[in-house]
């Protein structure tokens, strides 16, 4: 049943991508590697970003403790600030090597550590990206079961729907849905 729900979200909200090359923006190196592996396991490509795109990212993201090649391992100072988060997504949007942008929201932890403005910043960047960028944006975030996270997830889901951004509980499910969607679109007359 989960696959059916994911496909409903995908076919309802996803703007058709040009291809299967995914740009990944995630906080945390281990999550980045895992996301890239999961996308590649589903037949999606995770191409390296060209030097020009990496240089654009270095204008506002420190190279220390990050990876700006794809997947992008960005620090909280980027993810938790709407302007920097959107700017990161916009760089990927302008990159011809990328067809789909996949990002992850860290809601429960970030909300409790920093305050509710973190949710607003992430949701704001996602809504703006969904409305303004040419390439489809896909979001991964999951319910953590911590106090208040259910309400937070509902707010995030509403923001995604408003921005036309599919939301999935895991990269595995997002990647599977993207692959299924792309296969369907290839076979469509």
């Amino acid at each position: 049943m989960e696959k059916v729900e994911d496909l409903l979200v995908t076919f309802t909200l996803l703007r058709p991508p040009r291809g299967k090359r995914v740009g990944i923006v995630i906080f945390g190196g281990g999550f980045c590697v895992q996301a890239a592996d999961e996308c590649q396991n589903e037949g999606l490509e995770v191409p390296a970003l060209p030097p020009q795109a990496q240089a654009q990212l270095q204008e506002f993201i420190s190279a220390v403790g990050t990876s700006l090649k794809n997947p992008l391992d960005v620090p909280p100072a980027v993810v938790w600030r709407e302007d920097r988060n959107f700017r990161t997504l916009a760089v990927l949007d302008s990159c011809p090597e990328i067809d789909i942008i996949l990002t992850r929201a860290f809601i429960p932890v970030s909300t409790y550590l920093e305050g509710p403005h973190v949710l607003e910043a992430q949701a704001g960047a996602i809504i703006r990206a969904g409305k303004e960028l040419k390439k489809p944006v896909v979001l991964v975030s999951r319910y953590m079961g911590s106090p208040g996270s259910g309400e937070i997830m509902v707010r995030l889901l509403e923001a995604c729907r408003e921005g036309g951004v599919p939301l999935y509980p895991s990269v595995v499910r997002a990647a599977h849905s993207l692959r299924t969607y792309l296969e369907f679109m290839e076979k469509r007359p």
Side-chain angles (χ1 to χ4, degrees), residues 22-44:
V22 181
I24 299 170
V25 181
I26 295 182
F27 164 55
F31 290 120
C32 285
V33 172
Q34 181 181 7
D37 288 347
E38 290 168 351
C39 285
Q40 290 169 334
N41 288 343
E42 287 290 341
L44 304 173

Side-chain angles (χ1 to χ4, degrees), residues 77-89:
V78 171
V79 176
W80 295 348
R81 289 195 42 201
E82 183 175 345
D83 58 335
R84 289 184 183 185
N85 197 346
F86 179 79
R87 191 171 171 193
T88 303
L89 301 175

Side-chain angles (χ1 to χ4, degrees), residues 6 12 21 38 40 43 64 82 91-93 107 114 127 154 166 171:
D6 292 343
T12 302
R21 300 170 300 174
E38 290 168 351
Q40 290 169 334
V64 176
E82 183 175 345
V91 168
L92 292 180
D93 189 59
I107 302 301
E114 297 291 325
I127 291 169
V154 169
V171 175

